């Protein structure tokens, strides 16, 4: 297990007195919800976070930093929900904003989803959500409001990287860069990367995610209202298990599914999750981490495969890792053509900057065995997916 950084050790010492509030998570939740602002008719959305916070508080190995992260997670979702609902009440025309033919980049994590999203976001004809917008979605800000929001996002990132320098190496992010819409998806898998939450884990494949994607659409409508309409380019590996709900809300979406050897992808992602767990828990059971995420990732892919079987073939674009992972200059034009977009000289000129930005300063090394997994485990869990991947590689 990775040793805690000195800043993380200090942060846990300073925050230790606040850990006692875990004993009454309902009281903590009520305080967060009241401060976020409750809106009429939204009780179901708000109360949906109460059991999550209670289970999070019950993780016996949760660190003081982890408890602060749990509260911040709930606070952000409830605050954003209240803001979006308030803006819609003030500007009912927001609900008429068309989110036409959006592109969703999906697939296993660590399969070049971030690079694919960034490349598709290069075009002036496309619109991607930036991290600062995802953390606090709102109407078109003034220059001063934008600077304030960007600064707040930078501080959030700086704090994360200070406590976990390795996270920056594995998954570089910037406040003004394209980022995945998981930040706005209410009940995604994110909490499972920070705590042991068996009930939340069990609910993931039984939950009705349609309300979550309706909320996601409202967020994009708010971000689009009063601004030029361009084609949305969106991304999250966590959409893969929810494609049925996604397509219910965005029926004209194009799915860009990135592909890579699942043994490599799972090992790489477990390494990333280890960074989050080290921040949030006093101890990390690496074998339990591996078993949890092998189940979640393989289950998500199985659900995704079932959903895509019902989708018109032209609505799915399969992208082998080699398209962008090996030679972005050759792969990017093919990617644009596949989604019906124009690849221009201006896009080509910007491409090297994107590819460089997403590369950490140190190689990312990882090993399945560290997480108690073997190649045979992964091959068995992804049998159906590997058959699809073989077809994609042959195409």
């Amino acid at each position: 297990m990775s040793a805690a950084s000195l800043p993380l050790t200090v942060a846990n010492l300073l925050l230790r007195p606040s850990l006692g509030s875990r004993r009454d998570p309902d009281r903590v939740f009520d305080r967060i919800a009241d401060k976020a602002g409750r809106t009429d008719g939204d009780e179901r959305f708000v109360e949906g976070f109460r059991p999550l916070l209670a289970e999070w508080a019950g993780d016996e190995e949760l660190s003081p930093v982890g408890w602060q992260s749990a509260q911040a997670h709930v606070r952000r979702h409830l605050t954003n929900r209240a803001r979006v609902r308030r803006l819609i009440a003030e500007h009912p025309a927001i609900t008429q904003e068309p989110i036409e033919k959006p592109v969703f980049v999906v697939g296993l994590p660590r399969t070049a989803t971030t690079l694919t999203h960034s490349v598709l976001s290069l075009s002036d004809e496309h619109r991607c959500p930036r991290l600062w917008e995802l953390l606090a979605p709102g109407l078109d800000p003034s220059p001063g409001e934008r600077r304030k929001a960007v600064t707040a996002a930078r501080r959030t990132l700086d704090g994360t990287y200070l406590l976990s320098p390795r996270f920056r190496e594995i998954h570089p992010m910037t406040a003004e860069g394209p980022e995945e819409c998981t930040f706005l998806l209410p009940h995604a898998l994110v909490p499972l990367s920070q705590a042991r939450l068996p009930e939340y884990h069990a609910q993931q494949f039984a939950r009705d995610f349609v309300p979550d994607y309706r909320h996601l659409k409202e967020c994009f409508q708010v971000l689009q209202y009063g601004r030029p309409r361009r084609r949305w380019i969106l991304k999250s590996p966590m959409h893969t298990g929810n494609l049925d709900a996604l397509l219910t809300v965005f029926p004209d979406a194009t799915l860009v599914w990135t592909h890579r050897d699942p043994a490599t992808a799972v090992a790489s992602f477990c390494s990333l999750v280890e960074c989050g767990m080290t921040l949030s828990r006093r101890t990390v059971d690496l074998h339990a981490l591996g078993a949890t995420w092998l189940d979640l990732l393989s289950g998500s892919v199985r659900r995704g495969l079932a959903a895509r079987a019902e989708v018109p073939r032209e609505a799915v674009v399969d992208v082998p890792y080699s398209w962008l992972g090996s030679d972005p200059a050759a792969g990017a034009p093919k990617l644009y053509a596949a989604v019906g977009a124009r690849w221009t000289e201006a896009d080509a000129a910007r491409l090297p900057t994107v590819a460089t930005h997403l590369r950490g300063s140190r190689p990312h090394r990882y090993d399945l065995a560290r997480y108690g997994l073997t190649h045979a485990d992964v091959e068995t869990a992804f049998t159906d997916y590997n058959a699809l991947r073989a077809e994609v590689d042959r195409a």
Side-chain angles (χ1 to χ4, degrees):
M1 182 174 60
S2 302
S5 67
L6 178 59
L8 177 59
T9 300
V10 172
N12 277 320
L13 285 172
L14 293 174
L15 292 171
R16 183 180 292 173
S18 67
L19 201 57
S21 64
R22 288 171 57 201
R23 291 191 291 270
D24 193 354
D26 279 335
R27 183 179 179 182
V28 173
F29 179 84
D30 287 333
R31 186 169 62 244
I32 291 172
D34 289 343
K35 188 170 182 179
R38 300 174 185 264
T39 56
D40 292 340
D42 221 20
E43 197 67 13
R44 184 174 181 180
F45 182 98
V46 172
E47 287 298 318
F49 284 88
R50 187 185 295 274
L52 170 60
L53 188 65
E55 187 179 15
W56 215 325
D59 183 345
E60 295 181 356
E61 290 300 308
L62 197 66
S63 68
V65 166
W67 179 229
Q68 291 297 314
S69 296
Q71 294 173 75
H73 177 90
V74 172
R75 183 182 302 112
R76 175 167 52 82
H77 280 290
L78 296 190
T79 300
N80 285 342
R81 174 67 170 189
R83 182 189 303 108
V84 166
R85 298 307 297 167
R86 184 182 69 252
L87 289 171
I88 289 174
E90 294 171 355
H91 307 277
I94 287 174
T95 61
Q96 303 305 309
E97 284 291 326
I99 307 299
E100 295 179 332
K101 298 181 179 180
V103 173
F104 282 85
V105 179
V106 304
L108 281 169
R110 314 302 293 172
T111 58
T113 55
T114 299
L115 179 57
T116 302
H117 183 224
S118 295
V119 169
L120 285 170
S121 298
L122 287 171
S123 173
D124 291 332
E125 298 175 2
H126 293 166
R127 167 78 156 97
C128 66
R130 308 289 174 173
L131 178 61
W132 66 270
E133 296 178 301
L134 293 166
L135 293 178
L139 300 184
D140 196 10
S142 68
E145 290 170 336
R146 177 183 172 123
R147 283 194 298 272
K148 184 177 179 181
V150 170
T151 298
R154 284 176 181 157
R155 286 174 178 164
T156 297
L157 277 182
D158 290 345
T160 299
Y161 292 151
L162 176 66
L163 299 180
S164 179
R166 189 59 177 144
F167 190 88
R168 185 199 298 268
E169 301 291 338
I170 299 174
H171 186 59
M173 300 166 66
T174 63
E176 297 180 87
E179 198 46 66
E180 60 184 60
C181 41
T182 307
F183 285 96
L184 295 175
L185 198 63
H187 299 101
L189 302 176
V190 174
L192 292 163
S193 68
Q194 300 180 42
R196 184 179 178 277
L197 306 169
E199 291 182 18
Y200 191 75
H201 179 163
Q203 292 167 1
Q204 284 302 304
F205 300 130
R207 181 185 297 279
D208 177 10
F209 276 93
V210 171
D212 286 41
Y213 282 88
R214 288 182 179 142
H215 168 71
L216 194 64
K217 182 178 180 180
E218 289 180 346
C219 291
F220 299 145
Q221 288 174 314
V222 165
L223 289 171
Q224 181 172 282
Y225 183 69
R227 287 172 262 195
R229 292 175 182 171
R230 292 176 286 162
R231 191 181 189 187
W232 280 94
I233 306 296
L234 307 162
K235 168 251 180 176
S236 176
M238 296 185 188
H239 292 316
T240 308
N242 306 328
L243 295 184
D244 52 350
L246 185 157
L247 291 167
T248 296
V249 178
F250 302 96
D252 60 348
T254 295
L255 305 176
V256 173
W257 190 316
T258 57
H259 297 279
R260 191 184 190 186
D261 171 27
T264 302
V266 169
S268 178
F269 188 67
C270 284
S271 176
L272 179 61
V273 171
E274 183 183 349
C275 288
M277 285 285 192
T278 301
L279 278 178
S280 298
R281 303 185 86 236
R282 290 191 294 265
T283 62
V284 181
D285 183 335
L286 296 179
H287 287 197
L289 185 160
T292 292
W293 284 97
L294 180 62
D295 177 66
L296 288 167
L297 296 176
S298 61
S300 293
V301 166
R302 283 194 297 273
R303 285 169 58 89
L305 291 174
R308 70 175 271 163
E310 305 299 321
V311 177
R313 185 65 192 89
E314 61 272 16
V316 182
V317 175
D318 289 304
V319 178
Y321 188 80
S322 59
W323 272 25
L324 296 177
S326 302
D327 188 359
K334 290 194 294 184
L335 175 62
Y336 270 59
V339 301
R342 295 188 312 121
W343 178 253
T344 67
E345 292 183 3
D347 300 329
R350 298 180 188 125
L351 181 62
T353 303
V354 168
T356 301
H357 159 67
L358 295 175
R359 196 177 301 124
S361 59
R362 290 192 299 162
H364 179 203
R365 305 190 188 284
Y366 41 83
D367 182 8
L368 272 178
R370 178 174 176 82
Y371 306 101
L373 301 174
T374 66
H375 278 75
D377 294 331
V378 179
E379 288 292 316
T380 300
F382 288 93
T383 300
D384 292 341
Y385 171 69
N386 279 327
L388 169 65
R389 196 169 61 88
E391 291 181 14
V392 171
D393 288 343
R394 286 195 297 268

